[in-house]
Amino acid sequence: MTLTEMNIKKIRIRSKISVQEAVSCVFVLWLLNPITHDYLSPAYVIVIAAMWYFTANSQNKSAMGKALNSKAFIFAWFYPLFMLIYVAAGHAKLEKSSIGMPLIVLFYMYCYYRNNKKDDSLILKSSIFYFILMASYTLLELKKNPYISRLLANGDKVFKADFLSPLTAGYTEIYYLVFFVISAFGAALIYKKRNFRYFYALLIALLLFLFIRAQYTIAILLVLLGTALAWFTRYRNKSVWLVFVNMFFIILLMFLIFGTDSLAEFVYLVSDMIPDGILKNRVIQIGDLFYSGNPMMQGRNGAVVRFQLYSKSWNTFLSNFFFGVGDSEMALALVGGHSTFIDRLARYGIFGGGLYIISRIYILILVRKTISDRWKRLYSINMVIFLLLSILNTSNRNSFLMMLIVILPLFFECIEEKLRIESQYSERKENCEYINDRERNSGKTES
């Protein structure tokens, strides 16, 4: 068989996508889609999930059985089942996002036990293609309306419907792409193949440009923090948590040495390099927080307002420590609404809110255990960023879980598979060279 015939055969093999693979890709992209959460009926997710379960079970019953009995899947049900008690008591409304957690965990654990890198690669490639398509389309939309991604953060579904599309990245999409940028940057530090680095350098540049144009200040700050952690922990003897704590104390030391006014002046200097808009205003407001004189930005400081909302939720939690204030319209007026973790404590108390926080963290820890050692540190960085995001902002969408629980582990494991294959090839090459050298030396001896 000629080389051309072999290549044609490979293309034909790759072009054959099973029903199970197609349904898996649809399921992942459906949850990553901007319009799924608020604008499409949960019935669609149920139908797609049922199709995925039956096709996946028929493909590999053993993997499905292990996934159903996994600790992560069983624990993922604790919070939804507990919240049913609150719902029955009229203290809470049923959260469809909380029902999504067990389903997403089951999907990943099935992929883990199935251990089929070809199928995993298809899911990953289709997701990355979607990210590129969404980022490119959103950038075009931002040229028409520079505030469109910010407007999609509005909680009014009727208002947002005029701007929304399956390819327009809003609040949720910008923030779950933050995790992917950090992971791609960290992966490029470890996997040094030139083509890989070129591709992900271009993709990171595209997504960073999207974050800046979309004017999400916290997203940019989280990317800077995450990539800094990835850089400083790229060697195996570096602890993510230790580096994070050291960075925190270095920042405090800078405050003590230079004073808050000097840091404010530096922030103002940075703001001078940013075009007029929301992002520039937010950076100026950060400087105003540290400046002892008159603020540069007159009126309400968005950063100060954000801290007031955190304080509002925290005080509500302390006043209703055990069960929270619930989900009634009157009760929600006591909740700030800008921090998933603190708001959950305010709404459901230490029992419901505490279980929500613990379940999210523990499941990420269990998922981390399934990842190869080489990538555990990078996954921990994403856990740190997720914790910060959940404190500073809202992160209760299933698309965040899809990124953290499915996309990133598959991303790491697909690269690990490439490294393994390349290592085996290198070993075979060395063995062949060794055998050839021995044969040549033995021939010389005989002669």
Side-chain angles (χ1 to χ4, degrees):
M1 185 181 290
T2 65
L3 183 62
T4 305
E5 289 173 338
M6 289 174 66
N7 289 333
I8 292 171
K9 187 176 181 181
K10 285 181 181 179
I11 292 170
R12 285 175 179 170
I13 291 170
R14 289 172 185 170
S15 65
K16 293 178 181 178
I17 299 174
S18 67
V19 174
Q20 197 279 323
E21 290 173 313
V23 173
S24 294
C25 291
V26 169
F27 175 70
V28 171
L29 297 179
W30 193 270
L31 291 185
L32 293 173
N33 190 312
I35 66 174
T36 297
H37 184 84
D38 288 326
Y39 294 89
L40 296 177
S41 170
Y44 289 108
V45 178
I46 294 171
V47 170
I48 296 170
M51 290 174 60
W52 170 77
Y53 175 81
F54 288 116
T55 56
N57 190 56
S58 62
Q59 183 192 59
N60 195 324
K61 287 184 172 60
S62 175
M64 183 60 75
K66 291 177 181 177
L68 290 169
N69 288 295
S70 65
K71 187 186 295 185
F73 176 68
I74 294 170
F75 191 83
W77 281 106
F78 281 22
Y79 175 74
L81 292 176
F82 179 85
M83 286 305 295
L84 287 178
I85 300 172
Y86 274 26
V87 173
H91 192 63
K93 299 173 184 175
L94 184 64
E95 291 180 324
K96 55 185 177 183
S97 60
S98 66
I99 304 298
M101 169 67 99
L103 184 58
I104 293 169
V105 171
L106 179 65
F107 184 93
Y108 172 67
M109 295 309 300
Y110 172 79
C111 292
Y112 171 71
Y113 286 116
R114 178 190 58 186
N115 194 26
N116 186 327
K117 294 299 184 288
K118 174 179 171 291
D119 289 1
D120 294 346
S121 179
L122 179 64
I123 294 169
L124 181 63
K125 288 176 180 177
S126 62
S127 300
I128 292 174
F129 177 73
Y130 179 69
F131 299 155
I132 295 170
L133 199 61
M134 180 168 59
S136 303
Y137 181 82
T138 305
L139 285 170
L140 291 175
E141 290 294 295
L142 286 165
K143 287 190 71 175
K144 302 174 188 176
N145 182 349
Y147 301 107
I148 191 167
S149 289
R150 297 291 315 179
L151 291 170
L152 290 174
N154 189 303
D156 188 340
K157 290 195 290 185
V158 177
F159 172 79
K160 290 192 297 184
D162 294 334
F163 308 101
L164 200 67
S165 82
L167 292 175
T168 306
Y171 166 84
T172 305
E173 294 69 45
I174 295 294
Y175 278 102
Y176 75 57
L177 287 172
V178 164
F179 300 113
F180 191 78
V181 167
I182 294 168
S183 300
F185 176 82
L189 293 175
I190 296 172
Y191 185 39
K192 299 180 180 180
K193 192 171 183 180
R194 185 178 299 175
N195 292 341
F196 179 89
R197 284 189 159 186
Y198 284 163
F199 174 79
Y200 281 102
L202 290 173
L203 180 53
I204 289 169
L206 174 68
L207 295 178
L208 287 177
F209 187 51
L210 171 64
F211 299 160
I212 294 169
R213 293 280 291 144
Q215 305 185 71
Y216 277 95
T217 314
I218 294 179
I220 297 169
L221 294 174
L222 290 177
V223 167
L224 291 174
L225 175 60
T227 52
L229 286 171
W231 177 265
F232 288 116
T233 61
R234 63 191 185 279
Y235 302 112
R236 295 199 171 196
N237 60 340
K238 300 289 185 180
S239 166
V240 173
W241 302 100
L242 182 60
V243 171
F244 177 71
V245 171
N246 288 339
M247 289 173 67
F248 177 75
F249 280 109
I250 288 171
I251 293 171
L252 287 180
L253 186 62
M254 287 174 63
F255 274 100
L256 293 173
I257 294 173
F258 298 106
T260 57
D261 282 355
S262 297
L263 292 173
E265 291 295 340
F266 174 75
V267 174
Y268 291 147
L269 183 64
V270 172
S271 71
D272 290 338
M273 297 182 284
I274 303 173
D276 291 340
I278 294 174
L279 181 60
K280 183 183 183 74
N281 294 342
R282 288 290 172 86
V283 174
I284 292 173
Q285 288 171 350
I286 292 172
D288 288 343
L289 280 176
F290 304 129
Y291 193 54
S292 60
N294 294 325
M296 183 179 292
M297 182 69 66
Q298 298 299 318
R300 298 179 70 193
N301 186 308
V304 172
V305 171
R306 185 66 65 90
F307 283 112
Q308 289 172 348
L309 294 172
Y310 301 152
S311 178
K312 182 180 182 180
S313 291
W314 184 252
N315 290 332
T316 300
F317 163 59
L318 294 179
S319 302
N320 302 270
F321 185 79
F322 292 106
F323 302 107
V325 293
D327 276 344
S328 67
E329 292 296 326
M330 187 178 296
L332 290 179
L334 302 172
V335 180
H338 270 77
S339 168
T340 290
F341 281 179
I342 305 175
D343 291 347
R344 279 296 186 285
L345 291 171
R347 289 165 63 180
Y348 306 137
I350 196 64
F351 292 120
L355 184 58
Y356 178 92
I357 296 169
I358 290 169
S359 65
R360 290 297 190 268
I361 296 172
Y362 185 60
I363 287 171
L364 292 179
I365 290 172
L366 292 176
V367 170
R368 183 183 180 275
K369 290 180 178 179
T370 67
I371 299 172
S372 300
D373 290 343
R374 195 194 311 267
W375 306 103
K376 279 184 167 65
R377 186 168 286 102
L378 192 49
Y379 193 77
S380 295
I381 292 170
N382 282 284
M383 289 173 61
V384 170
I385 299 302
F386 176 71
L387 293 177
L388 288 175
L389 176 63
S390 299
I391 294 170
L392 298 174
N393 244 320
T394 54
S395 62
N396 61 324
R397 297 293 177 88
N398 285 326
S399 48
F400 285 103
L401 301 177
M402 181 58 74
M403 176 60 74
L404 288 164
I405 295 175
V406 177
I407 303 297
L408 295 190
L410 294 185
F411 177 61
F412 297 143
E413 290 308 303
C414 284
I415 302 173
E416 184 66 23
E417 180 69 7
K418 289 180 181 179
L419 287 166
R420 186 185 65 80
I421 292 171
E422 289 175 6
S423 176
Q424 289 178 347
Y425 174 77
S426 179
E427 288 178 4
R428 287 174 189 157
K429 187 177 179 181
E430 289 176 0
N431 289 335
C432 288
E433 290 175 352
Y434 175 72
I435 292 169
N436 291 335
D437 288 342
R438 287 190 62 183
E439 289 177 350
R440 282 194 293 269
N441 292 331
S442 63
K444 289 179 181 178
T445 304
E446 290 174 2
S447 62

